[in-house]
Amino acid sequence: MAPPLSRRFLLRAAALAAATPAIGHTATGRAAATVQEAQAVTAVPTAWTVQPFALDDVALRPGLFADKRQLMLDHARGYDVNRLLQVFRANAGLATGGAVAPGGWEGLDGEANGNLRGHYTGHFLTMLAQAYAGTGEQVFTDRIGTMIGALTEVRAALRRDPAVLSVAGRFGTAAENVRGSYQYVDLPAAVLGGAPAITLSAWVRPTHDANWARIFDFGDDNTRYLYLAVRNANGVPRFAVTTGGPGGEQGLDGTAALPLGQWSHLAVTIGGGTGTLYVNGSAVARNTAMTLTPAALGTLANNWLGRSNFATDPVFAGAYDEFNVWSRALGAAEITELQGARAADVSAGRGDLASYAFDETSGGTFADASGRGLAATLRRTWGGPSHPGFLAAYPETQFIDLESRTTSDYTKVWAPYYTAHKILRGVLDAYLATEDARALDLASGMCDWMYSRLSKLPEATLQRMWGLFSSGEFGGIVEAVCELHSITGKSEHLALARLFDLDRLIDNCAADTDILDGLHANQHIPIFTGYLRLYDATGEARYLDAARNFWGMVVPHRMYGIGGTSTAEFWKARGVIAGTISDTDAETCCAYNMLKLSRTLFFHEQRPQYMDYYERALYNQVLGSKQDKADAEKPLVTYFIGLTPGHVRDYTPKQGTTCCEGTGMESATKYQDSVYFRAADGSALYVNLYSPSQLTWAEKGVTVTQVTSFPREQGTTLTFGGGTSAFALRLRVPSWATAGFRVTVNGGAVSGTPVPGSYFTVSRTWRSGDTVKISMPFRLRVEKALDDRSLQSLFYGPINLVGRNSATSYLQLGLYRNAGLSGDLLPSLTPVSGKPLHFTLGGTEFAPFFEGTEDPTHAYFRRSEPRVILGDSDSGVTNPAKPDGTTLLDDIWAGAPFTGKGALVSRVRSTVDAWVSAGLLGRTDGQTVIRTAQQATYAP
């Protein structure tokens, strides 16, 4: 009898299933299901005839994958997660503890105004969850707990009105305005009092050098206002007053920039037609033609500290200590006195129009000490969330803007639902790894919030949104929402998943109509994994049909040899490979998502080509995208993998926090996720990948230990442990395994003929100690670009071999000389002693693509065999070619493997006759080729 399933396994299985739960729950309006409810969810999709194992059921053993993973685990252990939380805390107006957000896409100063910030934090959480599942190390759960605790605090802070962040000030306490909080101080309309003369005085400590951030701005709009900016376009303080917009400003400009992180005192006086700007007690600017005063402006609607009446100006970042307004122009001596003491303690006294000391240590209001009772209020420029479940590292404004947007502009809206997906995925994975109810609450709340927004929108609006390049990108959010629904059972969550239907894409792909040309690749690949989960939950066949057909539009029609796809993030026309070779090929995220799609399709339909592709992309692009080097600050993962001749991989693109580095962190901590699958009824175990690992199959009470150095070894050994159990062992026979695939059990050969591109089944009752040995000899072969058969890539078994050569033009290689009767091209290469999978040819070293080096590489080469050479003999005859690039030698060797020399000569004769008949080869040259074939000596 199989042992009972653990609670943890049930939770994992439920989430992976993304199915309608076995125990239904009606919508209750709660923020999340309880842990007890989640425990009850054990259903898996009936559509899944094959299911995965949880990450903690499969342990990586020493080898290629474990070595790559170790580099990422070290990074995960050491990176300061407070840096990732900085933008979330800032958005909520919370203290950031001096943490500095990472660069690139994740910080406020990142590309496109940091409009994607928060995405990387979600990736990091997923990495930590997977790292814990794969290793069981407490350090990863501790780090998850820190992050989930902080995000819970952030959401709570966003739910309530802003509260003062009290810090040490110039004299006492001060009010901190964290950069990225979008907070400002709102003053009552009567603050200026219509005074004909005035002094405005403030102590500020700026923390950022953005131009045009306001210390104060009092105005109606962009026409009538009075402001003091920390920096103008020249980087110095500027005061201005106008009743006629920017062109009518009467101004005062400072002479030097204010220092960051230090307290500075600024004062402006207007009286008797003269305006003066003081910085730290010194008059730095004077205007004797200052005719405008507050009296000329009248009562103004917007009276702000830290916010501008110009919507595109930044919010002031820094701290305030004392802000006073007097209804007269203070003298120079009085301004000087203000440098050493509070206003209340010098001759000027507190401002008679307004006086704020910022001594408050809680709440969201600031008392006015002027005697006029003009209490000020701390506010956000964007108000606050539309729903209490909102969680993000930026305001909700991007989501709001997207709803009316008809064109993309990523400096304003950059894929907010994509970012939401990464955060949702991260907190959901955190829950599955640690069972922390707070993480489930965060995930459920996020989906409640999204449903509250999207369910109110017309269908036409949703279709327009999701069809927008970049702005409307939503990544794999459908998959994550469906997985959450399998836990919470909330009907709104399944309804939310369906609100992301992009009908034009679904309907065309379901009809097998290829519309991919010109589409943004990674915007669309993860959509289909989500649609498969919707098929599981709804049974609607169009989702499955669309996903299956979409996969076939990419593989092989838009696939490079390494398994990657896309050029500069986009797809080109079907079948165009050579015509798209560039420095921006194969975005790494695309490979990550194609792997997810392939394995999920396999759960529904066990087509071996899905796992053939999985092996190709995993062993080549995904492994090769991770640099073989440790780094505490960056994960060192490529964005693009350029396939141009002599390309050097960039492992630190865009300062290190792109989408691809995020998915790269995830890939490196789940290498074991598809090594083994099981039949849904427990009748079979699928061995998909040949990787050193140990499977614990709890339901069967057995372990399977795989010992191999594959791909440096051309085979593997499986040893069974535990109890006795009957099931079919299904061994993937790779499509490249044309040199044989031999299986023995306990030393005895297994009958049957393994067919490349299929699964070979061994059925028996397995007992502890049973040993299965598999031999799968590699052959060297080429794969030809679909649109240019002379442009080729070199493969040895599953491994793409790249030339390491600094040349920036395609290498010219001939490979038929010395080719074996088996069709193996390996005799043309020379092995490098002591370096497995390394060879030389024509003075160039060829090495596995998976080696994460910074060598200039050639993933493609130009095939060049100008003469017909067979074995060790040169016929002297020019090697002719057909219009599509296929040469005579290509046609001859397409008949390999040959049972012997006679079979090869026969193939040469029939091929020559066909080419002569077609007018592609002269009869005399043809006879010479046949004689050469008869005289040559060949390798086996």
Side-chain angles (χ1 to χ4, degrees):
M1 180 176 177
L5 299 182
S6 70
R7 175 180 179 222
R8 190 168 168 198
F9 176 83
L10 293 178
L11 289 168
R12 295 271 182 91
L16 285 169
T20 303
I23 300 177
H25 299 286
T26 59
T28 64
R30 291 167 298 171
T34 65
V35 175
Q36 289 75 22
E37 287 171 332
Q39 183 181 359
V41 182
T42 62
V44 294
T46 56
W48 283 16
T49 50
V50 160
Q51 299 168 4
F53 289 94
L55 287 179
D56 52 2
D57 290 332
V58 183
L60 284 183
R61 295 171 63 86
L64 173 60
F65 288 107
D67 290 345
K68 289 271 189 178
R69 183 181 71 170
Q70 189 61 47
L71 293 169
M72 198 63 79
L73 292 178
D74 289 343
H75 175 72
R77 291 186 190 99
Y79 194 85
D80 181 5
V81 295
N82 287 298
R83 298 184 62 190
L84 301 173
L85 296 167
Q86 193 269 350
V87 288
F88 284 89
R89 287 171 167 151
N91 188 46
L94 297 175
T96 61
V100 178
W105 289 0
E106 192 58 21
L108 285 161
D109 295 313
E111 188 172 348
N113 304 310
N115 278 347
L116 213 64
R117 60 188 182 274
H119 82 112
Y120 197 74
T121 304
H123 285 298
F124 205 91
L125 268 170
T126 293
M127 173 180 66
L128 291 175
Q130 293 175 170
Y132 174 62
T135 68
E137 293 182 25
Q138 185 65 32
V139 62
F140 299 121
T141 58
D142 291 344
R143 313 202 92 204
I144 290 170
T146 296
M147 296 181 75
I148 293 301
L151 293 176
T152 300
E153 292 173 1
V154 163
R155 188 181 66 174
L158 287 170
R159 286 174 167 178
R160 59 179 180 258
D161 291 335
V164 62
L165 181 57
S166 184
V167 296
R170 174 66 176 81
F171 300 112
T173 58
E176 178 82 22
N177 198 35
V178 177
R179 182 162 180 260
S181 67
Y182 296 88
Q183 293 181 174
Y184 68 99
V185 180
D186 189 18
L187 307 182
V191 65
L192 295 180
I198 199 165
T199 297
L200 302 106
S201 163
W203 278 100
V204 294
R205 186 182 63 195
T207 56
H208 192 255
D209 60 0
N211 292 342
W212 299 117
R214 303 294 203 261
I215 294 173
F216 59 76
D217 193 338
F218 306 130
D220 279 340
D221 47 31
N222 296 346
T223 303
R224 304 173 66 82
Y225 52 79
L226 171 155
Y227 73 76
L228 176 60
V230 182
R231 297 166 60 94
N232 63 7
N234 296 318
V236 298
R238 174 173 172 78
F239 171 83
V241 58
T242 182
T243 57
E249 287 186 357
Q250 297 177 7
L252 297 161
D253 292 308
T255 56
L258 298 184
L260 299 182
Q262 297 181 30
W263 287 104
S264 296
H265 181 264
L266 294 95
V268 176
T269 65
I270 302 175
T274 296
T276 306
L277 172 64
Y278 295 87
V279 176
N280 293 324
S282 299
V284 297
R286 180 168 283 110
N287 184 342
T288 58
M290 189 78 76
T291 61
L292 294 175
T293 67
L297 297 177
T299 301
L300 300 171
N302 305 321
N303 300 278
W304 298 328
L305 303 184
R307 182 181 181 182
S308 171
N309 275 285
F310 288 79
T312 58
D313 287 340
V315 176
F316 172 76
Y320 284 93
D321 189 352
E322 284 214 322
F323 177 73
N324 285 278
V325 185
W326 291 268
S327 60
R328 63 187 180 88
L330 297 187
E334 291 176 298
I335 299 294
T336 300
E337 281 188 291
L338 291 172
Q339 308 310 299
R342 290 179 179 270
D345 299 326
V346 298
S347 59
R350 292 188 176 99
D352 62 320
L353 292 180
S355 180
Y356 306 97
F358 299 107
D359 286 331
E360 290 81 359
T361 58
S362 64
T365 59
F366 300 102
D368 171 29
S370 71
R372 300 178 69 208
L374 301 180
T377 306
L378 189 63
R379 303 190 190 281
R380 299 186 187 99
T381 60
W382 56 285
S386 62
H387 184 281
F390 175 75
L391 177 64
Y394 48 69
E396 199 174 355
T397 48
Q398 281 203 58
F399 298 92
I400 297 168
D401 188 335
L402 177 61
E403 293 169 7
S404 59
R405 181 163 290 278
T406 58
T407 59
S408 282
D409 180 350
Y410 82 144
T411 65
K412 294 183 174 63
V413 179
W414 190 6
Y417 284 96
Y418 172 93
T419 307
H421 162 243
K422 299 307 175 186
I423 299 167
L424 173 64
R425 179 78 265 173
V427 296
L428 182 57
D429 286 337
Y431 169 68
L432 295 171
T434 67
E435 301 176 22
D436 187 333
R438 296 175 302 172
L440 180 58
D441 188 51
L442 289 172
S444 186
M446 286 188 70
C447 289
D448 293 342
W449 155 67
M450 284 186 277
Y451 181 74
S452 74
R453 289 208 69 85
L454 297 177
S455 63
K456 295 179 176 65
L457 299 178
E459 178 66 22
T461 299
L462 292 171
Q463 295 299 321
R464 172 176 49 75
M465 286 165 56
W466 308 144
L468 284 174
F469 158 62
S470 185
S471 293
E473 183 175 356
F474 55 80
I477 201 166
V478 177
E479 177 193 30
V481 174
C482 286
E483 289 186 7
L484 179 70
H485 170 252
S486 75
I487 298 172
T488 67
K490 293 181 68 171
S491 58
E492 293 93 339
H493 292 165
L494 181 58
L496 170 64
R498 303 192 69 162
L499 293 174
F500 290 95
D501 279 6
L502 181 54
D503 289 336
R504 177 175 179 270
L505 183 69
I506 297 171
D507 293 343
N508 277 283
C509 287
D512 206 15
T513 302
D514 190 330
I515 61 166
L516 303 189
D517 186 8
L519 291 184
H520 182 238
N522 197 53
Q523 181 168 345
H524 294 86
I525 299 170
I527 292 177
F528 287 96
T529 304
Y531 291 158
L532 282 172
R533 300 299 176 89
L534 271 176
Y535 166 73
D536 297 332
T538 67
E540 291 188 23
R542 72 172 189 141
Y543 292 124
L544 175 61
D545 293 342
R548 180 198 303 115
N549 293 338
F550 165 80
W551 190 92
M553 295 171 192
V554 177
V555 181
H557 304 291
R558 293 177 173 88
M559 182 193 75
Y560 299 108
I562 58 173
T565 186
S566 79
T567 298
E569 300 191 8
F570 288 81
W571 281 308
K572 304 300 182 184
R574 185 184 181 106
V576 178
I577 300 298
T580 61
I581 297 296
S582 78
D583 286 337
T584 59
D585 290 326
E587 183 185 357
T588 304
C589 275
C590 294
Y592 166 90
N593 281 308
M594 282 298 296
L595 291 183
K596 289 191 75 171
L597 177 61
S598 299
R599 76 192 295 267
T600 309
L601 281 165
F602 192 88
F603 297 152
H604 296 85
E605 303 168 337
Q606 287 73 63
R607 297 184 177 186
Q609 59 262 44
Y610 294 142
M611 296 316 295
D612 268 350
Y613 171 81
Y614 199 98
E615 179 187 64
R616 175 193 294 269
L618 179 65
Y619 275 89
N620 293 292
Q621 174 160 2
V622 171
L623 282 180
S625 68
K626 173 71 185 86
Q627 188 172 14
D628 297 331
K629 177 177 150 183
D631 193 289
E633 289 298 305
K634 296 180 174 62
L636 300 182
V637 176
T638 58
Y639 190 126
F640 299 119
I641 292 188
L643 299 176
T644 50
H647 181 80
V648 177
R649 293 176 211 166
D650 179 4
Y651 298 98
T652 55
K654 298 178 182 285
Q655 300 181 57
T657 56
T658 65
C659 52
C660 292
E661 284 144 305
T663 54
M665 293 189 299
E666 295 183 32
S667 290
T669 48
K670 66 178 183 71
Y671 288 137
Q672 73 270 39
D673 77 341
S674 297
V675 177
Y676 309 99
F677 295 152
R678 62 178 177 275
D681 61 3
S683 63
L685 174 67
Y686 288 76
V687 181
N688 305 307
L689 300 173
Y690 300 105
S691 172
S693 55
Q694 183 173 63
L695 166 68
T696 300
W697 192 357
E699 299 97 321
K700 294 290 185 180
V702 302
T703 62
V704 180
T705 302
Q706 186 172 177
V707 177
T708 181
S709 59
F710 188 93
R712 297 183 176 100
E713 176 185 349
Q714 299 179 21
T716 191
T717 300
L718 304 172
T719 302
F720 288 79
T724 299
S725 187
F727 55 86
L729 183 67
R730 293 186 175 153
L731 306 170
R732 188 176 65 87
V733 185
S735 58
W736 49 261
T738 57
F741 187 92
R742 291 177 287 280
V743 181
T744 65
V745 176
N746 299 331
V750 178
S751 62
T753 304
V755 177
S758 70
Y759 278 79
F760 182 68
T761 301
V762 182
S763 296
R764 60 181 278 134
T765 297
W766 300 97
R767 294 176 172 81
S768 183
D770 282 349
T771 300
V772 177
K773 289 186 178 293
I774 304 166
S775 171
M776 51 187 117
F778 293 1
R779 282 180 175 161
L780 188 73
R781 70 186 191 282
V782 297
E783 292 188 357
K784 303 171 182 177
L786 299 177
D787 51 334
D788 183 349
R789 298 178 67 81
S790 72
L791 193 69
Q792 303 178 358
S793 52
L794 195 62
F795 280 82
Y796 188 47
I799 303 305
N800 177 221
L801 296 178
V802 294
R804 291 181 174 170
N805 190 304
S806 60
T808 56
S809 57
Y810 288 113
L811 301 177
Q812 306 280 323
L813 300 181
L815 295 168
Y816 286 133
R817 180 189 292 272
N818 298 320
L821 292 170
S822 64
D824 193 347
L825 301 174
L826 189 62
S828 295
L829 276 64
T830 302
V832 177
S833 178
K835 297 176 71 175
L837 301 178
H838 285 243
F839 306 89
T840 59
L841 176 64
T844 295
E845 182 177 7
F846 286 80
F849 191 97
F850 65 68
E851 293 185 354
T853 73
E854 293 179 294
D855 295 297
T857 61
H858 291 248
Y860 283 89
F861 64 91
R862 186 69 70 186
R863 193 65 175 267
S864 177
E865 266 127 356
R867 297 189 311 280
V868 177
I869 299 176
L870 292 162
D872 60 355
S873 299
D874 186 342
S875 70
V877 174
T878 298
N879 184 26
K882 295 177 180 177
D884 69 355
T886 302
T887 69
L888 175 64
L889 282 173
D890 289 337
D891 257 7
I892 290 171
W893 286 102
F898 302 108
T899 56
K901 178 177 177 178
L904 171 59
V905 172
S906 177
R907 173 72 179 191
V908 171
R909 183 176 288 109
S910 63
T911 304
V912 164
D913 289 346
W915 279 62
V916 169
S917 296
L920 300 170
L921 179 68
R923 187 170 299 279
T924 300
D925 283 345
Q927 291 303 312
T928 301
V929 170
I930 293 171
R931 285 196 301 273
T932 301
Q934 293 169 331
Q935 297 166 1
T937 301
Y938 303 93

